[in-house]
Amino acid sequence: MNTPPVVRRGVPEGDEARVAALYWEAFARKLGAALNPPDKARAFLAAHLHHDRGITALVDGEVAGVAGYQLDRRGLTGGGASDLLAAYGVLRGLPRLALLALLERRPAARELVMDGIAVAPEHRGKGIGGLLLREITTVAAEARCHRVRLDVIDVNPRARALYERHGFVAVRTEKTPFLRGLMGFGAVTTMHRPVTAADSHHDQETR
Protein backbone atom coordinates (compact mmCIF):
# COMPACT_ATOMS: atom_id res chain seq x y z
CA MET A 1 0.00 0.00 0.00
CA ASN A 2 1.41 3.36 -1.03
CA THR A 3 1.88 5.91 1.72
CA PRO A 4 0.24 9.24 0.80
CA PRO A 5 2.51 12.29 0.82
CA VAL A 6 2.31 14.76 3.69
CA VAL A 7 2.85 18.43 2.83
CA ARG A 8 4.68 20.58 5.35
CA ARG A 9 5.78 24.19 5.48
CA GLY A 10 9.53 24.69 5.74
CA VAL A 11 12.62 22.60 5.12
CA PRO A 12 13.05 20.08 7.97
CA GLU A 13 16.27 20.42 9.93
CA GLY A 14 18.70 17.77 8.78
CA ASP A 15 17.19 17.50 5.29
CA GLU A 16 19.16 20.35 3.74
CA ALA A 17 21.33 18.04 1.63
CA ARG A 18 18.30 16.12 0.38
CA VAL A 19 16.46 19.30 -0.60
CA ALA A 20 19.58 20.71 -2.29
CA ALA A 21 20.02 17.47 -4.25
CA LEU A 22 16.39 17.54 -5.47
CA TYR A 23 16.65 21.21 -6.40
CA TRP A 24 19.90 20.65 -8.26
CA GLU A 25 18.54 17.62 -10.13
CA ALA A 26 15.65 19.78 -11.34
CA PHE A 27 17.58 22.94 -12.17
CA ALA A 28 21.15 21.88 -12.98
CA ARG A 29 20.60 22.82 -16.63
CA LYS A 30 19.66 26.33 -15.57
CA LEU A 31 22.14 26.82 -12.73
CA GLY A 32 25.05 24.68 -13.85
CA ALA A 33 27.08 27.40 -15.53
CA ALA A 34 26.95 29.46 -12.34
CA LEU A 35 27.36 26.78 -9.67
CA ASN A 36 29.13 23.74 -11.18
CA PRO A 37 30.79 21.37 -10.36
CA PRO A 38 27.72 19.47 -9.08
CA ASP A 39 29.12 18.41 -5.70
CA LYS A 40 30.12 21.96 -4.89
CA ALA A 41 26.82 23.32 -6.17
CA ARG A 42 24.78 20.97 -3.97
CA ALA A 43 26.91 21.83 -0.95
CA PHE A 44 26.50 25.56 -1.59
CA LEU A 45 22.72 25.26 -1.96
CA ALA A 46 22.42 23.15 1.20
CA ALA A 47 24.51 25.58 3.25
CA HIS A 48 22.46 28.63 2.28
CA LEU A 49 18.84 27.47 2.29
CA HIS A 50 16.20 29.70 3.85
CA HIS A 51 14.21 27.01 5.62
CA ASP A 52 11.05 29.12 5.95
CA ARG A 53 10.79 29.74 2.22
CA GLY A 54 10.25 26.14 1.25
CA ILE A 55 7.34 23.70 1.21
CA THR A 56 8.16 20.01 1.35
CA ALA A 57 6.25 16.83 0.59
CA LEU A 58 7.23 13.88 2.79
CA VAL A 59 6.69 10.21 2.00
CA ASP A 60 7.50 7.86 4.87
CA GLY A 61 9.39 10.71 6.50
CA GLU A 62 11.65 11.38 3.50
CA VAL A 63 11.50 14.55 1.44
CA ALA A 64 9.96 13.52 -1.89
CA GLY A 65 9.42 17.01 -3.29
CA VAL A 66 10.09 20.64 -2.56
CA ALA A 67 8.80 24.00 -3.77
CA GLY A 68 10.51 27.30 -3.05
CA TYR A 69 9.09 30.80 -3.09
CA GLN A 70 10.08 34.44 -2.58
CA LEU A 71 8.44 36.78 -0.11
CA ASP A 72 9.86 39.92 1.49
CA ARG A 73 12.98 39.67 -0.68
CA ARG A 74 13.89 36.18 0.59
CA GLY A 75 13.67 32.94 -1.33
CA LEU A 76 14.45 29.29 -0.71
CA THR A 77 17.97 29.49 -2.09
CA GLY A 78 20.17 32.01 -0.35
CA GLY A 79 23.80 32.97 -0.26
CA GLY A 80 24.93 36.47 -1.10
CA ALA A 81 27.84 37.72 -3.17
CA SER A 82 30.31 37.32 -0.31
CA ASP A 83 29.19 33.71 0.25
CA LEU A 84 29.63 32.80 -3.39
CA LEU A 85 33.05 34.45 -3.60
CA ALA A 86 34.13 32.64 -0.44
CA ALA A 87 33.03 29.30 -1.89
CA TYR A 88 34.39 29.69 -5.43
CA GLY A 89 37.13 32.30 -5.08
CA VAL A 90 37.17 35.81 -6.47
CA LEU A 91 38.39 35.02 -9.99
CA ARG A 92 35.91 32.21 -10.54
CA GLY A 93 33.20 33.77 -8.42
CA LEU A 94 32.75 37.11 -10.18
CA PRO A 95 31.60 35.61 -13.52
CA ARG A 96 29.25 33.32 -11.59
CA LEU A 97 27.70 36.31 -9.86
CA ALA A 98 27.03 37.88 -13.25
CA LEU A 99 25.28 34.72 -14.46
CA LEU A 100 23.12 34.47 -11.36
CA ALA A 101 22.15 38.12 -11.76
CA LEU A 102 20.63 37.24 -15.15
CA LEU A 103 18.29 34.79 -13.40
CA GLU A 104 17.29 37.02 -10.51
CA ARG A 105 13.58 37.85 -10.20
CA ARG A 106 12.04 40.32 -7.78
CA PRO A 107 8.40 40.12 -6.71
CA ALA A 108 6.15 43.05 -7.60
CA ALA A 109 3.84 44.50 -4.97
CA ARG A 110 1.46 41.85 -3.56
CA GLU A 111 3.06 39.14 -5.68
CA LEU A 112 4.57 35.83 -4.58
CA VAL A 113 7.28 34.51 -6.90
CA MET A 114 7.76 30.77 -7.02
CA ASP A 115 11.45 29.84 -7.16
CA GLY A 116 10.90 26.36 -8.48
CA ILE A 117 9.46 22.95 -7.81
CA ALA A 118 11.33 19.64 -7.71
CA VAL A 119 10.02 16.11 -7.20
CA ALA A 120 12.22 13.04 -6.81
CA PRO A 121 12.10 10.83 -9.94
CA GLU A 122 10.69 7.85 -8.06
CA HIS A 123 7.77 9.95 -6.81
CA ARG A 124 6.77 11.68 -10.04
CA GLY A 125 3.32 11.10 -11.47
CA LYS A 126 1.76 10.78 -8.01
CA GLY A 127 0.31 14.27 -7.68
CA ILE A 128 3.03 15.67 -5.45
CA GLY A 129 3.68 18.63 -7.74
CA GLY A 130 0.03 19.59 -7.57
CA LEU A 131 -0.01 19.36 -3.77
CA LEU A 132 3.01 21.63 -3.53
CA LEU A 133 1.47 24.16 -5.92
CA ARG A 134 -1.75 24.19 -3.94
CA GLU A 135 0.15 24.95 -0.73
CA ILE A 136 2.08 27.72 -2.51
CA THR A 137 -1.20 29.43 -3.38
CA THR A 138 -2.34 29.10 0.24
CA VAL A 139 0.85 30.79 1.40
CA ALA A 140 0.18 33.55 -1.11
CA ALA A 141 -3.37 33.98 0.18
CA GLU A 142 -2.15 34.21 3.78
CA ALA A 143 0.38 36.87 2.73
CA ARG A 144 -2.44 38.82 1.03
CA CYS A 145 -0.80 38.50 -2.37
CA HIS A 146 -3.03 38.95 -5.41
CA ARG A 147 -1.12 36.57 -7.67
CA VAL A 148 1.60 33.94 -7.92
CA ARG A 149 4.27 34.35 -10.58
CA LEU A 150 6.80 31.90 -11.97
CA ASP A 151 9.15 31.54 -14.91
CA VAL A 152 9.56 28.35 -16.93
CA ILE A 153 12.25 27.69 -19.52
CA ASP A 154 11.50 26.42 -23.02
CA VAL A 155 13.23 23.08 -22.49
CA ASN A 156 10.91 22.11 -19.63
CA PRO A 157 7.49 21.52 -21.26
CA ARG A 158 6.49 19.01 -18.57
CA ALA A 159 6.72 21.69 -15.88
CA ARG A 160 4.77 24.16 -18.00
CA ALA A 161 2.01 21.59 -18.51
CA LEU A 162 1.81 21.08 -14.73
CA TYR A 163 1.50 24.80 -14.13
CA GLU A 164 -1.19 25.17 -16.78
CA ARG A 165 -3.22 22.37 -15.19
CA HIS A 166 -3.18 24.33 -11.95
CA GLY A 167 -4.40 27.62 -13.34
CA PHE A 168 -1.21 29.37 -14.45
CA VAL A 169 -1.42 31.35 -17.68
CA ALA A 170 1.49 32.49 -19.84
CA VAL A 171 1.70 36.27 -20.00
CA ARG A 172 4.94 36.80 -21.91
CA THR A 173 7.89 34.93 -23.39
CA GLU A 174 11.37 36.42 -23.49
CA LYS A 175 13.77 35.05 -26.09
CA THR A 176 17.23 34.44 -24.63
CA PRO A 177 19.32 32.98 -27.49
CA PHE A 178 22.50 34.26 -25.80
CA LEU A 179 21.87 31.79 -22.96
CA ARG A 180 21.24 28.67 -25.08
CA GLY A 181 24.88 27.73 -25.42
CA LEU A 182 25.74 28.74 -21.87
CA MET A 183 22.73 27.52 -19.89
CA GLY A 184 20.89 25.27 -22.32
CA PHE A 185 17.68 27.24 -22.86
CA GLY A 186 16.67 29.89 -25.37
CA ALA A 187 13.44 31.35 -23.98
CA VAL A 188 11.78 32.02 -20.63
CA THR A 189 8.00 32.21 -20.24
CA THR A 190 6.48 34.14 -17.34
CA MET A 191 3.23 32.69 -15.99
CA HIS A 192 0.69 34.15 -13.57
CA ARG A 193 -2.03 32.62 -11.43
CA PRO A 194 -4.46 34.86 -9.52
CA VAL A 195 -4.96 34.20 -5.83
CA THR A 196 -8.66 33.56 -5.22
CA ALA A 197 -10.99 33.22 -2.26
CA ALA A 198 -10.83 29.44 -2.71
CA ASP A 199 -7.13 29.51 -1.83
CA SER A 200 -7.97 31.02 1.54
CA HIS A 201 -10.70 28.41 2.02
CA HIS A 202 -8.12 25.67 1.39
CA ASP A 203 -6.10 27.04 4.28
CA GLN A 204 -9.12 26.87 6.58
CA GLU A 205 -9.96 23.33 5.51
CA THR A 206 -6.51 21.84 5.98
CA ARG A 207 -5.32 23.42 9.23
Side-chain angles (χ1 to χ4, degrees):
M1 182 175 179
N2 294 328
T3 302
V6 177
V7 175
R8 292 284 182 261
R9 302 262 179 107
V11 174
E13 293 291 339
D15 282 326
E16 294 84 0
R18 170 67 172 173
V19 167
L22 289 176
Y23 201 84
W24 180 253
E25 194 275 336
F27 300 107
R29 181 195 299 265
K30 187 176 180 180
L31 299 175
L35 296 180
N36 271 327
D39 287 351
K40 192 158 193 159
R42 288 190 290 265
F44 183 83
L45 292 171
H48 299 288
L49 289 175
H50 291 143
H51 290 66
D52 62 342
R53 291 296 185 264
I55 295 168
T56 51
L58 308 178
V59 175
D60 293 328
E62 181 181 63
V63 176
V66 59
Y69 61 92
Q70 289 188 41
L71 270 179
D72 302 324
R73 302 181 71 85
R74 295 173 67 248
L76 174 63
T77 55
S82 60
D83 299 310
L84 192 134
L85 293 176
Y88 291 90
V90 174
L91 290 179
R92 294 183 177 181
L94 287 174
R96 295 168 189 267
L97 284 174
L99 290 174
L100 290 174
L102 292 174
L103 302 175
E104 188 174 4
R105 296 161 295 162
R106 292 291 186 186
R110 298 183 62 202
E111 178 182 72
L112 181 147
V113 171
M114 202 175 86
D115 279 337
I117 187 168
V119 178
E122 65 271 23
H123 293 292
R124 290 173 188 164
K126 301 177 181 179
I128 288 176
L131 292 174
L132 292 170
L133 284 173
R134 191 176 182 190
E135 192 66 17
I136 284 279
T137 61
T138 301
V139 170
E142 290 178 0
R144 300 184 184 278
C145 294
H146 69 90
R147 75 182 178 202
V148 178
R149 181 182 117 222
L150 59 84
D151 292 331
V152 61
I153 57 179
D154 58 350
V155 293
N156 198 354
R158 182 173 179 173
R160 177 165 176 169
L162 170 67
Y163 301 143
E164 289 174 341
R165 289 198 301 272
H166 288 272
F168 286 85
V169 177
V171 295
R172 66 176 176 275
T173 297
E174 179 183 359
K175 301 293 185 181
T176 55
F178 56 94
L179 293 178
R180 185 172 295 280
L182 189 62
M183 294 185 173
F185 60 93
V188 179
T189 297
T190 297
M191 306 184 77
H192 289 167
R193 179 198 182 281
V195 176
T196 68
D199 299 316
S200 297
H201 293 160
H202 167 56
D203 174 62
Q204 295 169 6
E205 293 168 0
T206 57
R207 297 186 197 291

